[in-house]
Amino acid sequence: MSERRRTPSGKGSRQLRPQAAVQAAAPEDPVELLGLPLGLCGVSNLAALRRPARKMGIDTVRDLLFHLPRRYDDLRELRTLRDVYSLDAGTVASVQVRVTGINVQQTWRRRVQVTTAQLTDGTETAEASWFGRRYIEKRLRPGDEILVSGRIKHRGGVVIFDGPEFQPADAANLLHVGRIVPVYRLTTGVTAVRLRAAMRTALDRAGTFYPEYLPDPIRAEHGLPPIAEALEAAHYPSTFEARDAALRRLAFDELLALQVGMVSRRRLRGRAHTTAVPVAPAADRRIRQAIAASISRKLGHDVDLTVDQAVALDEIRDDLARPVPMLRLVQGDVGSGKTAV
C-alpha cells in the first residue's frame, strides 16, 4: 500500500507560518541608541511606534527626542471635587479621587462603548466618562486611588470629566496629570498617553546621556542649559521657566546649525571655479539701452534706468567677470524694476 503524500496545495495540507522576528537587543551604550531606528532599538514601547511614527517624520530615537510638544497644559494644581463643582463647563481640572464603581454601556445609535467611572474624594462625588476606549475598564477597578485631569461638564447636577487622563495616585513619575503635561502632535495609531510614555522611556534610556556639542564658553555666554537638561525640560518641565530656557537652547542650536551650513556653502563657493564672462563696455551700453527701450515701449514714453537698477547691473557685470560662480538675490518692492534687471 503506497504512502499518500500531501502536497502544499492539497486538501488538508499543513500551513507553515513564519516565525515571529526576534526583537533586537537594546545596545548598552545609550549614545548608540540615539541613532537607531525605532524598530531596531530593542526597546519594546519605542519599537511599537515604528510605523505610526513614520507618519510624523520620526525614524530614529533621536528624531523622537526632538519631536517637541505643540503646547503644554498646566495640571499642577490639585482641586477638591467640591471646588470643581463651582468651575465653568470646559475648564480643565485635576483631582485626586477614589474609584467607587465602573459601568460599561453602548450608545443606542452608533453602538459605541461608553465607560463610566464613579469618583469621590470625600468632599463630593463625580463621574468620568470615556467613549470608545475599551481598555479603560481593564485599567480601573473600584477602590483605585487615581489622579484625574480633564475638561469638565455639568449634567443633571453632576460634574463629569469628559475623556480625562488618569494615573495611579502613588505613581513615582507623573506623566499625564498633576504636572505640566506636554501635548504633542499625533497621528493615527498613536495616543497621547502612549507617546508620552514612549518619550519618557527615550529620555531615560538615551536623552539623559545625550552628548554635549556646544563648547562651555558659548553656553556660558548665552546662558544656555546643557542639551540633555534641555531635552528633559522641553518634554517634562518642572516649571515654565525651565521650559522656556530649554526651548531657547534648542532654538539657538537650530539657528547655529543654519548659520554653520551657510558658512560652509559660502566656503565651498569660494573654492569653486568657473569661466569668467567679461562684458565689454560697448556691449554693456547696448544691453542697458535695450532694457530702457523695452520699458519705454511698454509705458509709452521714454524712461532711463533708475540708479538702483544701474547699481544692480554693475554688480552683476562685476560678478560675471570673476572666475567664481555668481549667487545673488534681486530684492525690491513691487514695480521697482526687478524684472528688467
Side-chain angles (χ1 to χ4, degrees), residues 22-42:
V22 179
Q23 182 174 325
E28 295 183 3
D29 183 1
V31 177
E32 182 183 349
L33 184 63
L34 289 167
L36 290 179
L38 293 180
L40 301 176
C41 69

PDB file of all heavy atoms in Angstrom, residues 22-42:
ATOM      1  N   VAL A  22      12.782  37.882  15.845  1.00  0.00           N
ATOM      2  CA  VAL A  22      13.321  38.081  17.183  1.00  0.00           C
ATOM      3  C   VAL A  22      13.675  39.554  17.351  1.00  0.00           C
ATOM      4  O   VAL A  22      14.361  40.138  16.514  1.00  0.00           O
ATOM      5  CB  VAL A  22      14.565  37.201  17.402  1.00  0.00           C
ATOM      6  CG1 VAL A  22      15.135  37.439  18.788  1.00  0.00           C
ATOM      7  CG2 VAL A  22      14.204  35.728  17.208  1.00  0.00           C
ATOM      8  N   GLN A  23      13.179  40.154  18.408  1.00  0.00           N
ATOM      9  CA  GLN A  23      13.437  41.568  18.649  1.00  0.00           C
ATOM     10  C   GLN A  23      14.899  41.787  18.993  1.00  0.00           C
ATOM     11  O   GLN A  23      15.489  41.057  19.777  1.00  0.00           O
ATOM     12  CB  GLN A  23      12.560  42.090  19.773  1.00  0.00           C
ATOM     13  CG  GLN A  23      12.748  43.575  20.049  1.00  0.00           C
ATOM     14  CD  GLN A  23      11.759  44.067  21.073  1.00  0.00           C
ATOM     15  OE1 GLN A  23      10.636  43.614  21.123  1.00  0.00           O
ATOM     16  NE2 GLN A  23      12.192  45.003  21.900  1.00  0.00           N
ATOM     17  N   ALA A  24      15.477  42.789  18.351  1.00  0.00           N
ATOM     18  CA  ALA A  24      16.881  43.105  18.608  1.00  0.00           C
ATOM     19  C   ALA A  24      17.061  43.563  20.043  1.00  0.00           C
ATOM     20  O   ALA A  24      16.171  44.153  20.643  1.00  0.00           O
ATOM     21  CB  ALA A  24      17.348  44.187  17.635  1.00  0.00           C
ATOM     22  N   ALA A  25      18.227  43.268  20.594  1.00  0.00           N
ATOM     23  CA  ALA A  25      18.524  43.691  21.960  1.00  0.00           C
ATOM     24  C   ALA A  25      18.969  45.143  21.943  1.00  0.00           C
ATOM     25  O   ALA A  25      19.645  45.597  21.023  1.00  0.00           O
ATOM     26  CB  ALA A  25      19.615  42.801  22.549  1.00  0.00           C
ATOM     27  N   ALA A  26      18.576  45.881  22.962  1.00  0.00           N
ATOM     28  CA  ALA A  26      18.967  47.287  23.066  1.00  0.00           C
ATOM     29  C   ALA A  26      20.464  47.373  23.327  1.00  0.00           C
ATOM     30  O   ALA A  26      21.013  46.590  24.105  1.00  0.00           O
ATOM     31  CB  ALA A  26      18.197  47.969  24.191  1.00  0.00           C
ATOM     32  N   PRO A  27      21.155  48.307  22.689  1.00  0.00           N
ATOM     33  CA  PRO A  27      22.605  48.437  22.926  1.00  0.00           C
ATOM     34  C   PRO A  27      22.881  48.941  24.342  1.00  0.00           C
ATOM     35  O   PRO A  27      22.071  49.651  24.935  1.00  0.00           O
ATOM     36  CB  PRO A  27      23.039  49.466  21.876  1.00  0.00           C
ATOM     37  CG  PRO A  27      21.804  50.267  21.618  1.00  0.00           C
ATOM     38  CD  PRO A  27      20.665  49.302  21.743  1.00  0.00           C
ATOM     39  N   GLU A  28      24.022  48.553  24.866  1.00  0.00           N
ATOM     40  CA  GLU A  28      24.404  49.006  26.202  1.00  0.00           C
ATOM     41  C   GLU A  28      24.782  50.479  26.214  1.00  0.00           C
ATOM     42  O   GLU A  28      24.586  51.174  27.202  1.00  0.00           O
ATOM     43  CB  GLU A  28      25.567  48.156  26.728  1.00  0.00           C
ATOM     44  CG  GLU A  28      25.205  46.688  26.958  1.00  0.00           C
ATOM     45  CD  GLU A  28      26.362  45.917  27.548  1.00  0.00           C
ATOM     46  OE1 GLU A  28      27.408  46.545  27.829  1.00  0.00           O
ATOM     47  OE2 GLU A  28      26.227  44.687  27.725  1.00  0.00           O
ATOM     48  N   ASP A  29      25.333  50.960  25.104  1.00  0.00           N
ATOM     49  CA  ASP A  29      25.746  52.360  25.015  1.00  0.00           C
ATOM     50  C   ASP A  29      24.526  53.217  24.673  1.00  0.00           C
ATOM     51  O   ASP A  29      23.950  53.098  23.586  1.00  0.00           O
ATOM     52  CB  ASP A  29      26.813  52.511  23.933  1.00  0.00           C
ATOM     53  CG  ASP A  29      27.344  53.941  23.841  1.00  0.00           C
ATOM     54  OD1 ASP A  29      26.884  54.789  24.626  1.00  0.00           O
ATOM     55  OD2 ASP A  29      28.201  54.197  22.974  1.00  0.00           O
ATOM     56  N   PRO A  30      24.081  54.100  25.566  1.00  0.00           N
ATOM     57  CA  PRO A  30      22.902  54.928  25.280  1.00  0.00           C
ATOM     58  C   PRO A  30      23.111  55.880  24.118  1.00  0.00           C
ATOM     59  O   PRO A  30      22.148  56.236  23.432  1.00  0.00           O
ATOM     60  CB  PRO A  30      22.677  55.696  26.590  1.00  0.00           C
ATOM     61  CG  PRO A  30      23.981  55.663  27.306  1.00  0.00           C
ATOM     62  CD  PRO A  30      24.628  54.379  26.910  1.00  0.00           C
ATOM     63  N   VAL A  31      24.347  56.293  23.868  1.00  0.00           N
ATOM     64  CA  VAL A  31      24.611  57.173  22.728  1.00  0.00           C
ATOM     65  C   VAL A  31      24.372  56.423  21.422  1.00  0.00           C
ATOM     66  O   VAL A  31      23.869  56.989  20.446  1.00  0.00           O
ATOM     67  CB  VAL A  31      26.045  57.725  22.794  1.00  0.00           C
ATOM     68  CG1 VAL A  31      26.364  58.585  21.571  1.00  0.00           C
ATOM     69  CG2 VAL A  31      26.231  58.541  24.072  1.00  0.00           C
ATOM     70  N   GLU A  32      24.712  55.160  21.380  1.00  0.00           N
ATOM     71  CA  GLU A  32      24.448  54.337  20.202  1.00  0.00           C
ATOM     72  C   GLU A  32      22.954  54.204  19.966  1.00  0.00           C
ATOM     73  O   GLU A  32      22.489  54.158  18.819  1.00  0.00           O
ATOM     74  CB  GLU A  32      25.086  52.959  20.375  1.00  0.00           C
ATOM     75  CG  GLU A  32      24.907  52.046  19.164  1.00  0.00           C
ATOM     76  CD  GLU A  32      25.489  50.658  19.390  1.00  0.00           C
ATOM     77  OE1 GLU A  32      26.217  50.488  20.398  1.00  0.00           O
ATOM     78  OE2 GLU A  32      25.211  49.760  18.582  1.00  0.00           O
ATOM     79  N   LEU A  33      22.169  54.163  21.042  1.00  0.00           N
ATOM     80  CA  LEU A  33      20.719  54.036  20.927  1.00  0.00           C
ATOM     81  C   LEU A  33      20.116  55.225  20.184  1.00  0.00           C
ATOM     82  O   LEU A  33      19.121  55.081  19.470  1.00  0.00           O
ATOM     83  CB  LEU A  33      20.104  53.919  22.323  1.00  0.00           C
ATOM     84  CG  LEU A  33      18.600  53.683  22.416  1.00  0.00           C
ATOM     85  CD1 LEU A  33      18.213  52.351  21.797  1.00  0.00           C
ATOM     86  CD2 LEU A  33      18.156  53.728  23.881  1.00  0.00           C
ATOM     87  N   LEU A  34      20.711  56.397  20.319  1.00  0.00           N
ATOM     88  CA  LEU A  34      20.168  57.605  19.699  1.00  0.00           C
ATOM     89  C   LEU A  34      20.021  57.470  18.196  1.00  0.00           C
ATOM     90  O   LEU A  34      19.035  57.939  17.619  1.00  0.00           O
ATOM     91  CB  LEU A  34      21.067  58.805  20.007  1.00  0.00           C
ATOM     92  CG  LEU A  34      21.054  59.328  21.437  1.00  0.00           C
ATOM     93  CD1 LEU A  34      22.210  60.297  21.655  1.00  0.00           C
ATOM     94  CD2 LEU A  34      19.734  60.005  21.741  1.00  0.00           C
ATOM     95  N   GLY A  35      20.972  56.839  17.546  1.00  0.00           N
ATOM     96  CA  GLY A  35      20.955  56.767  16.092  1.00  0.00           C
ATOM     97  C   GLY A  35      20.205  55.590  15.514  1.00  0.00           C
ATOM     98  O   GLY A  35      20.105  55.474  14.289  1.00  0.00           O
ATOM     99  N   LEU A  36      19.665  54.718  16.361  1.00  0.00           N
ATOM    100  CA  LEU A  36      18.999  53.518  15.860  1.00  0.00           C
ATOM    101  C   LEU A  36      17.556  53.814  15.460  1.00  0.00           C
ATOM    102  O   LEU A  36      16.874  54.618  16.100  1.00  0.00           O
ATOM    103  CB  LEU A  36      19.008  52.431  16.929  1.00  0.00           C
ATOM    104  CG  LEU A  36      20.362  51.799  17.258  1.00  0.00           C
ATOM    105  CD1 LEU A  36      20.197  50.751  18.352  1.00  0.00           C
ATOM    106  CD2 LEU A  36      20.995  51.180  16.020  1.00  0.00           C
ATOM    107  N   PRO A  37      17.063  53.152  14.389  1.00  0.00           N
ATOM    108  CA  PRO A  37      15.642  53.255  14.058  1.00  0.00           C
ATOM    109  C   PRO A  37      14.790  52.710  15.202  1.00  0.00           C
ATOM    110  O   PRO A  37      15.220  51.798  15.930  1.00  0.00           O
ATOM    111  CB  PRO A  37      15.507  52.386  12.803  1.00  0.00           C
ATOM    112  CG  PRO A  37      16.891  52.295  12.236  1.00  0.00           C
ATOM    113  CD  PRO A  37      17.815  52.344  13.413  1.00  0.00           C
ATOM    114  N   LEU A  38      13.595  53.242  15.369  1.00  0.00           N
ATOM    115  CA  LEU A  38      12.743  52.800  16.470  1.00  0.00           C
ATOM    116  C   LEU A  38      12.506  51.298  16.422  1.00  0.00           C
ATOM    117  O   LEU A  38      12.510  50.628  17.452  1.00  0.00           O
ATOM    118  CB  LEU A  38      11.402  53.541  16.422  1.00  0.00           C
ATOM    119  CG  LEU A  38      11.436  55.052  16.688  1.00  0.00           C
ATOM    120  CD1 LEU A  38      10.030  55.628  16.595  1.00  0.00           C
ATOM    121  CD2 LEU A  38      12.044  55.348  18.051  1.00  0.00           C
ATOM    122  N   GLY A  39      12.304  50.762  15.224  1.00  0.00           N
ATOM    123  CA  GLY A  39      12.011  49.340  15.108  1.00  0.00           C
ATOM    124  C   GLY A  39      13.169  48.433  15.435  1.00  0.00           C
ATOM    125  O   GLY A  39      12.975  47.238  15.670  1.00  0.00           O
ATOM    126  N   LEU A  40      14.382  48.977  15.462  1.00  0.00           N
ATOM    127  CA  LEU A  40      15.581  48.165  15.717  1.00  0.00           C
ATOM    128  C   LEU A  40      16.293  48.566  16.994  1.00  0.00           C
ATOM    129  O   LEU A  40      17.409  48.111  17.244  1.00  0.00           O
ATOM    130  CB  LEU A  40      16.556  48.287  14.532  1.00  0.00           C
ATOM    131  CG  LEU A  40      16.031  47.856  13.165  1.00  0.00           C
ATOM    132  CD1 LEU A  40      17.074  48.133  12.096  1.00  0.00           C
ATOM    133  CD2 LEU A  40      15.638  46.393  13.170  1.00  0.00           C
ATOM    134  N   CYS A  41      15.659  49.406  17.820  1.00  0.00           N
ATOM    135  CA  CYS A  41      16.356  49.919  19.002  1.00  0.00           C
ATOM    136  C   CYS A  41      16.339  48.936  20.167  1.00  0.00           C
ATOM    137  O   CYS A  41      17.085  49.102  21.133  1.00  0.00           O
ATOM    138  CB  CYS A  41      15.750  51.249  19.435  1.00  0.00           C
ATOM    139  SG  CYS A  41      14.078  51.120  20.112  1.00  0.00           S
ATOM    140  N   GLY A  42      15.472  47.899  20.118  1.00  0.00           N
ATOM    141  CA  GLY A  42      15.440  46.908  21.176  1.00  0.00           C
ATOM    142  C   GLY A  42      14.653  47.307  22.402  1.00  0.00           C
ATOM    143  O   GLY A  42      14.647  46.589  23.396  1.00  0.00           O
TER     144      GLY A  42
END
